[in-house]
């Protein structure tokens, strides 16, 4: 009886192996000429084909940048205690660790518990850059925005400037990313913060040029609750340019080199 059971068990295992192998072979044969589109991952061109969608993408890019500034686990609280504007007990978005004297190196290991404080100020500005840049690419390809291309382009350049300026203030180096960079075939290089800030001010100048030469209204959803026109946007751009020029200096020599009259 035990011999019969063992033989039956062996036969059953062999049957399961053959059945599984056959199923895998049939699946492979069936998939050889079968292409299944992934509807959850649309191509960039299809996602950017509708003017309204592209304009919404551009309009929402400011909020993506803003979250990096005001998120609890963004860099704002840590920077505040570094500057002795506030104090805090430990365990709050790296505030206690950032305020200790003497200053301590900021760990960048993936296992660092408060890594969001370091990462948020990097990832969110670049996400905003991607949204603004995709919008500019779509307009360059001939897409007409419902609210006018001048408004959309000015806003996209504005966000590109804000985002690169933020990277230059927070980090030693960064990427300069815009519609001239072929991200599918190029590997952009990290450049010093001074070069990133130069690019940021250039984007803001482009936005300023459009805002001062065109007339448009900005939807209140783009900066939540504020209804702006092109003149308001120009004033905001001037304000950010002044801040960036003053804040990017990190040494006495760099502060002395700032054009304070222009600021």
């Amino acid at each position: 009886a035990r011999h019969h059971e063992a033989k039956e068990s062996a036969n059953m295992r062999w049957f399961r192996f053959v059945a599984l192998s056959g199923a895998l072979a049939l699946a492979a044969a069936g998939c050889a000429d079968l292409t299944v589109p992934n509807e959850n991952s649309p191509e960039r061109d299809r996602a950017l084909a509708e003017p309204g969608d592209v304009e919404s993408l551009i309009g929402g890019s400011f909020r993506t940048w803003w979250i990096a500034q005001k998120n609890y686990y963004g860099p704002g609280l840590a920077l505040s205690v570094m500057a002795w504007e506030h104090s805090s007990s430990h365990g709050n978005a790296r505030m206690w660790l950032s305020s200790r004297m003497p200053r301590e190196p900021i760990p960048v290991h993936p296992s660092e518990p408060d890594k969001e404080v370091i990462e948020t100020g990097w990832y969110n500005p670049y996400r905003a850059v991607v949204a603004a840049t995709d919008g500019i690419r779509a307009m360059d390809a001939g897409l007409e925005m419902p609210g006018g291309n001048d408004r959309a382009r000015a806003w996209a350049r504005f966000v590109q400037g804000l985002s690169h300026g933020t990277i230059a203030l927070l980090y030693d180096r960064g990427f300069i990313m815009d519609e001239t960079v072929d991200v599918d075939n190029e590997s952009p290089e990290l450049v010093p913060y001074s070069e990133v800030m130069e690019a940021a001010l250039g984007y803001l100048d482009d936005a300023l040029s459009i805002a001062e030469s065109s007339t448009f209204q900005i939807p209140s959803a783009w900066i939540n609750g504020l209804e702006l026109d092109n003149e308001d946007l120009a004033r905001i751009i001037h304000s950010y340019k002044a801040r960036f020029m003053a804040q990017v200096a990190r040494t006495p020599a760099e502060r002395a080199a700032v054009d304070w009259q222009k600021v």
Side-chain angles (χ1 to χ4, degrees):
R2 286 195 299 271
H3 174 73
H4 178 75
E5 291 173 358
K7 183 176 181 182
E8 186 177 21
S9 177
N11 289 339
M12 183 61 68
R13 289 196 299 270
W14 174 251
F15 174 78
R16 289 173 178 168
F17 172 77
V18 171
L20 178 61
S21 299
L24 292 175
L26 287 173
C31 292
D33 299 319
L34 180 64
T35 300
V36 180
N38 182 1
E39 299 296 343
N40 294 321
S41 181
E43 296 178 358
R44 180 189 301 164
D45 291 344
R46 183 155 57 90
L48 300 176
E50 296 298 326
D53 293 339
V54 175
E55 189 172 67
S56 295
L57 182 70
I58 293 172
S61 60
F62 177 88
R63 183 177 184 275
T64 302
W65 168 82
W66 179 257
I67 289 174
Q69 320 309 308
K70 298 303 179 184
N71 183 18
Y72 178 80
Y73 276 106
L77 295 178
L79 291 172
S80 177
V81 296
M82 288 180 191
W84 296 345
E85 291 181 329
H86 297 91
S87 62
S88 172
S89 61
H90 79 282
N92 294 288
R94 200 175 171 76
M95 294 177 74
W96 182 68
L97 295 173
S98 299
S99 65
R100 293 200 297 193
M101 297 291 288
R103 299 300 194 198
E104 300 175 3
I106 298 176
V108 292
H109 194 274
S111 64
E112 167 63 20
D114 292 320
K115 65 179 181 178
E116 291 91 348
V117 174
I118 311 302
E119 293 178 345
T120 302
W122 177 272
Y123 287 122
N124 271 57
Y126 278 123
R127 290 187 181 110
V129 166
V130 168
T133 299
D134 280 347
I136 291 176
R137 284 198 179 101
M139 287 185 285
D140 287 347
L143 209 62
E144 293 293 330
M145 299 296 102
N149 282 18
D150 282 349
R151 181 179 76 176
R153 191 177 295 272
W155 195 260
R157 288 292 191 216
F158 172 53
V159 172
Q160 284 179 327
L162 292 181
S163 299
H164 283 86
T166 299
I167 295 294
L169 294 182
L170 292 176
Y171 301 96
D172 182 60
R173 292 181 295 168
F175 299 109
I176 298 175
M177 304 292 294
D178 59 26
E179 68 280 1
T180 66
V181 179
D182 183 0
V183 294
D184 295 326
N185 299 298
E186 298 179 28
S187 296
E189 296 182 1
L190 289 166
V191 298
Y193 66 89
S194 57
E195 294 183 28
V196 180
M197 182 57 77
E198 183 179 358
L201 295 174
Y203 298 133
L204 291 177
D205 281 337
D206 288 346
L208 185 61
S209 177
I210 300 172
E212 292 181 336
S213 61
S214 304
T215 301
F216 50 76
Q217 293 292 132
I218 296 171
S220 60
W222 289 15
I223 294 184
N224 190 26
L226 295 181
E227 293 185 1
L228 309 173
D229 60 22
N230 57 293
E231 294 181 354
D232 296 323
L233 179 59
R235 285 193 287 270
I236 293 173
I237 293 170
H238 278 298
S239 181
Y240 272 109
K241 283 189 62 180
R243 285 172 167 81
F244 285 156
M245 292 172 64
Q247 293 172 349
V248 73
R250 301 187 182 186
T251 65
E254 289 183 353
R255 284 194 293 274
V258 173
D259 186 345
W260 291 106
Q261 186 61 40
K262 187 174 183 179
V263 172

